[in-house]
Amino acid sequence: MKTGTRFDIIFKKKYPVEERYAPITPNEILKQYFGYDSFREGQTEIIDALTSGRDALGVMPTGAGKSVCYQVPALLLPGVTLVISPLISLMRDQVLALVACGVPAAYINSSLNDTQYAKVMARARAGTYKIIYIAPERLLTPSMQELALRLEISLLAVDEAHCISQWGQDFRPSYLDIPEFVRALPVRPTVAAFTATATPRVREDILRSLVLQNPLAVVTGFDRPNLYFEVKKPKDKYAALAQYLRKRGDDGSGIVYCSTRKEVEDVAERLQASGHSAARYHAGLEDAERSRAQDDFLHDRVRIIVATNAFGMGIDKSNVRFVIHYNMPMNVESYYQEAGRAGRDGLSADCILFYARRDINTALFLINKSENEEEIARNRQLLNHMERYCECDVCLRGFMLRYFGEKSDTDCENCGNCVGVFDEIDISVDAQKILSHILRLNKAGCRFMFTHTADILLGKSEDFTDLSTFGIMKGVPRNYIRAIVNRLIALGYIQDSESKFSTTPRAGEVLRGDVRVTMRGQKPDSAEKPPRPAKQKASYAVSDNLLIKLKALRLEIARKELVPAFVIFSDATLVDMCRKHPQTAEELLSVSGVGQVKLERYGKHFLRLLRE
Ligand code: ADP
């Protein structure tokens, strides 16, 4: 489908906001336009700040509902809200979704042809839109500057604000134009920044670079309780993927991330050859094939997309049921963001990472390509944390939350490490060898990285041959030593500063034999896992006849309207429909996600089906 067609749809549907329903409070806006009864954590505070003219920073996980935080104020404030957004596909989907709810919105980016661009600009000048999405590259163009001088811009929302930080994984230089754009405006609008993935360092970068003034910072929990996390170490990754898909049956669509184009090609081909509905996506493909793959996935014409990390930033598909990483990503930020594309609708979804030690070599190869020493050092540090995630045997969710600066010391019972079946291995003696080795090196004034430390233990080093720990682990697999080192770091016996090791005062407990150190070794893949706790089971039965019928109806309407199905209603809304079984328009309005405009537009079709 051509963007032009969609664009015209967006363009024709225009809803003068004030006359229709005249909502006055944030809650009324939420109900009438978005169909939701109450705000989620963090939303009210941010909306209150923005509507009273105070800047804000919202750090909330994917799916938490950041968009509502600026869309509701946009409908309450006079004039227009500009939203800076990094990706064309994201803008298009957001605008489609807004228009479907009856909000006059448009986007300005390079996908518009000259005629469309002229139309949007003319309508923007005439004050037609309440929300305009803009690509950052456009901000300082003469036509945009000219438009900005004429508009009454009440609010400037910066989406994916981590793109402004070099410590973020998606640095976009054009984000640095934002402060200049704001400075050039006759009246400074309220500025709001949003991001899902921000370590404290990135957060500071955002506040400083965007020059937020006395901002209200709202950092909600990063936890996504509906996501199940697991790290698998399969010998044969493809076989593990095939097994996973077999177990799932036909339930739900998903993303398989690979680190190279070649691997994308291989995996996609093999899936297709074994009858799966799969498409490939990477930067080496023609634009046309890429956007077709993306569209087919968004519109549920293809079930699985096999992709490099070029796919997905801003993919707003709410019903992704699994994200499988075929290789280890380069850092925890990227991983959490990519995995977080699963289950945006709040229903349960799987995030599974297939890890092999060689993934680290691939990552190091990519990192070392840079000519910037500082960047290499930074990326190596980030990689270390990712590796530790893969090797750790503590609660995976807890690991992630602590990484993002949250306290977490309980087991989640919804990750591979909490529910898996493992062998407990006693590693006390090997731990003593490694700790005394590092202690000796430290005493000699040396702090080494893993490779050098291990080389001496393995007797493969040219130096330190007279150290008493030289060669004491000869013949032991390097992976095993690495796993123990990671375990000792996790337990606080080794301190890792810029990837160089030293022992901590607590190491004495192990060296003296006061404590036993154990590590989990995973049983072979065939081991059956215990069933997941009941509360984590999918919150709907996929065989539910009504749900299947509702989905089919949604797809039929979506195809007619040339929009992705979730723009009509999200999976969560259909599930709520099954639960409440509404028979009248009023009852349908009580379903989460059914607002006034959607009721008028689609209500009768759905009610007909529900009454049957
Ligand atoms: P984010 O941008 O934080 O990833 P979105 O803004 O896309 O998340 O919201 C995720 C989903 O949650 C969307 O389907 C959205 O409509 C829904 N949502 C947002 N706020 C609420 C709310 N208060 N109640 C119910 N659903 C909500």
Side-chain angles (χ1 to χ4, degrees):
M1 182 201 330
K2 287 195 278 306
T3 314
T5 333
R6 276 191 177 167
F7 176 82
D8 289 337
I9 294 169
I10 290 171
F11 205 64
K12 278 180 199 141
K13 293 178 183 164
K14 206 159 51 82
Y15 292 88
V17 186
E18 287 82 2
E19 296 115 277
R20 275 174 75 99
Y21 313 116
I24 37 165
T25 66
N27 278 82
E28 281 164 342
I29 299 250
L30 185 73
K31 183 68 198 159
Q32 293 198 345
Y33 286 90
F34 303 96
Y36 302 131
D37 289 325
S38 55
F39 285 106
R40 289 188 182 154
E41 188 194 351
Q43 289 179 331
T44 307
E45 294 93 309
I46 294 183
I47 291 168
D48 286 350
L50 296 181
T51 48
S52 64
R54 181 171 175 195
D55 286 0
L57 167 70
V59 184
M60 299 153 120
T62 310
K66 289 183 284 298
S67 321
V68 160
C69 295
Y70 56 82
Q71 289 167 349
V72 168
L75 291 167
L76 284 163
L77 291 166
V80 64
T81 287
L82 298 187
V83 184
I84 319 257
S85 172
L87 270 198
I88 292 174
S89 59
L90 175 74
M91 287 185 220
R92 203 178 51 192
D93 290 342
Q94 293 258 22
V95 169
L96 280 170
L98 281 172
V99 171
C101 297
V103 179
Y107 56 82
I108 298 176
N109 62 34
S110 58
S111 75
L112 301 183
N113 63 30
D114 290 350
T115 322
Q116 293 168 337
Y117 182 69
K119 267 192 200 171
V120 172
M121 293 300 262
R123 296 208 165 207
R125 270 186 222 111
T128 307
Y129 305 118
K130 288 303 289 178
I131 303 183
I132 302 176
Y133 282 76
I134 301 177
E137 290 77 14
R138 292 264 150 175
L139 287 175
L140 299 183
T141 59
S143 60
M144 191 59 223
Q145 297 256 296
E146 190 251 356
L147 175 68
L149 290 181
R150 289 168 173 243
L151 292 178
E152 182 188 359
I153 305 171
S154 300
L155 175 63
L156 182 92
V158 182
D159 208 1
E160 312 282 358
H162 59 273
C163 290
I164 204 163
S165 166
Q166 306 213 30
W167 276 97
Q169 70 281 17
D170 301 308
F171 176 56
R172 276 277 281 266
S174 52
Y175 262 60
L176 296 170
D177 293 342
I178 300 171
E180 192 177 334
F181 174 78
V182 173
R183 265 196 305 274
L185 294 172
V187 180
R188 184 186 184 276
T190 305
V191 181
F194 297 93
T195 179
T197 313
T199 49
R201 185 181 248 151
V202 174
R203 235 173 270 163
E204 268 160 37
D205 266 4
I206 294 173
L207 290 172
R208 196 175 20 94
S209 309
L210 282 176
V211 205
L212 295 186
Q213 294 177 1
N214 178 32
L216 172 81
V218 173
V219 183
T220 65
F222 268 86
D223 193 12
R224 306 268 315 273
N226 60 317
L227 300 186
Y228 168 80
F229 289 96
E230 185 174 351
V231 177
K232 278 179 178 287
K233 297 172 187 164
K235 285 215 170 60
D236 178 344
K237 290 187 175 185
Y238 186 78
L241 175 64
Q243 188 190 20
Y244 175 81
L245 293 173
R246 216 171 20 251
K247 272 198 190 153
R248 269 208 89 84
D250 291 332
D251 171 29
S253 55
I255 308 172
V256 179
Y257 277 112
C258 302
S259 60
T260 64
R261 294 175 188 183
K262 189 176 166 305
E263 199 130 47
V264 167
E265 299 280 343
D266 285 354
V267 174
E269 226 166 77
R270 291 177 75 175
L271 285 175
Q272 286 159 353
S274 32
H276 288 287
S277 159
R280 57 184 187 162
Y281 186 106
H282 60 70
L285 299 173
E286 296 282 315
D287 283 356
E289 180 177 351
R290 256 200 345 248
S291 58
R292 191 173 56 241
Q294 178 168 321
D295 255 18
D296 283 349
F297 182 65
L298 288 179
H299 290 247
D300 295 316
R301 291 188 291 263
V302 149
R303 187 181 160 215
I304 303 165
I305 191 144
V306 186
T308 58
N309 61 5
F311 178 78
M313 177 150 89
I315 289 299
D316 201 2
K317 184 174 165 65
S318 63
N319 61 341
V320 175
R321 295 269 71 85
F322 58 92
V323 173
I324 293 186
H325 278 76
Y326 208 76
N327 308 98
M328 181 188 71
M330 311 267 277
N331 51 60
V332 179
E333 283 91 340
S334 304
Y335 180 59
Y336 203 54
Q337 192 165 66
E338 286 161 17
R341 290 182 184 128
R344 291 178 78 125
D345 52 15
L347 303 178
S348 40
D350 290 341
C351 307
I352 300 176
L353 197 162
F354 290 173
Y355 167 68
R357 298 270 346 149
R358 64 176 177 280
D359 293 340
I360 294 186
N361 298 337
T362 315
L364 281 173
F365 172 76
L366 294 173
I367 288 172
N368 292 338
K369 268 187 176 170
S370 164
E371 287 177 1
N372 180 336
E373 289 293 325
E374 234 175 81
E375 190 179 302
I376 293 181
R378 195 162 56 214
N379 287 333
R380 277 182 172 225
Q381 258 187 62
L382 295 173
L383 179 68
N384 281 343
H385 290 285
M386 189 66 236
E387 182 193 337
R388 232 158 266 158
Y389 173 83
C390 296
E391 297 276 5
C392 79
D393 59 7
V394 294
C395 169
L396 291 172
R397 189 182 310 278
F399 180 100
M400 207 95 78
L401 295 179
R402 283 190 298 278
Y403 182 78
F404 290 115
E406 267 182 49
K407 283 208 180 78
S408 165
D409 47 17
T410 50
D411 287 351
C412 74
E413 298 305 329
N414 192 28
C415 76
N417 284 357
C418 285
V419 304
V421 178
F422 299 94
D423 285 332
E424 193 100 322
I425 322 172
D426 190 324
I427 52 164
S428 305
V429 175
D430 289 328
Q432 283 170 345
K433 287 182 187 169
I434 293 174
L435 287 175
S436 70
H437 174 58
I438 295 176
L439 187 66
R440 263 159 240 259
L441 286 173
N442 293 162
K443 280 189 178 151
C446 302
R447 282 168 56 245
F448 292 137
M449 292 197 183
F450 176 75
T451 313
H452 199 173
T453 309
D455 277 349
I456 307 171
L457 277 171
L458 291 166
K460 290 188 173 170
S461 160
E462 312 250 298
D463 50 11
F464 293 98
T465 47
D466 50 358
L467 200 70
S468 62
T469 49
F470 182 87
I472 53 164
M473 295 188 84
K474 209 174 205 157
V476 172
R478 195 179 278 270
N479 288 352
Y480 175 70
I481 298 182
R482 193 184 275 269
I484 298 180
V485 167
N486 282 331
R487 177 80 179 135
L488 294 173
I489 292 172
L491 292 172
Y493 297 123
I494 295 178
Q495 191 186 347
D496 165 15
S497 161
E498 293 177 353
S499 306
K500 293 180 183 159
F501 303 138
S502 51
T503 54
T504 65
R506 283 189 51 210
E509 298 167 14
V510 181
L511 288 166
R512 286 190 303 270
D514 292 348
V515 291
R516 204 175 134 244
V517 189
T518 59
M519 186 169 81
R520 279 172 176 181
Q522 199 163 6
K523 278 188 176 163
D525 252 10
S526 57
E528 272 302 313
K529 292 202 157 173
R532 292 201 211 150
K535 68 174 171 118
Q536 303 296 353
K537 281 211 174 122
S539 41
Y540 62 96
V542 277
S543 58
D544 188 329
N545 242 339
L546 178 58
L547 185 60
I548 291 171
K549 283 187 183 155
L550 290 171
K551 282 189 177 174
L553 173 61
R554 175 179 66 174
L555 194 60
E556 188 188 317
I557 298 175
R559 294 214 165 137
K560 246 185 242 154
E561 299 209 351
L562 302 172
V563 295
F566 58 83
V567 165
I568 311 289
F569 286 128
S570 70
D571 276 11
T573 299
L574 297 190
V575 169
D576 202 36
M577 257 183 224
C578 288
R579 212 176 286 137
K580 294 192 174 132
H581 223 286
Q583 299 293 302
T584 64
E586 202 173 300
E587 284 168 10
L588 187 55
L589 253 190
S590 76
V591 170
S592 173
V594 182
Q596 202 67 43
V597 170
K598 287 194 178 175
L599 174 75
E600 284 169 26
R601 238 182 251 172
Y602 313 120
K604 64 174 185 297
H605 305 293
F606 282 85
L607 280 173
R608 195 178 310 131
L609 178 63
L610 287 158
R611 285 186 193 129
E612 274 170 18

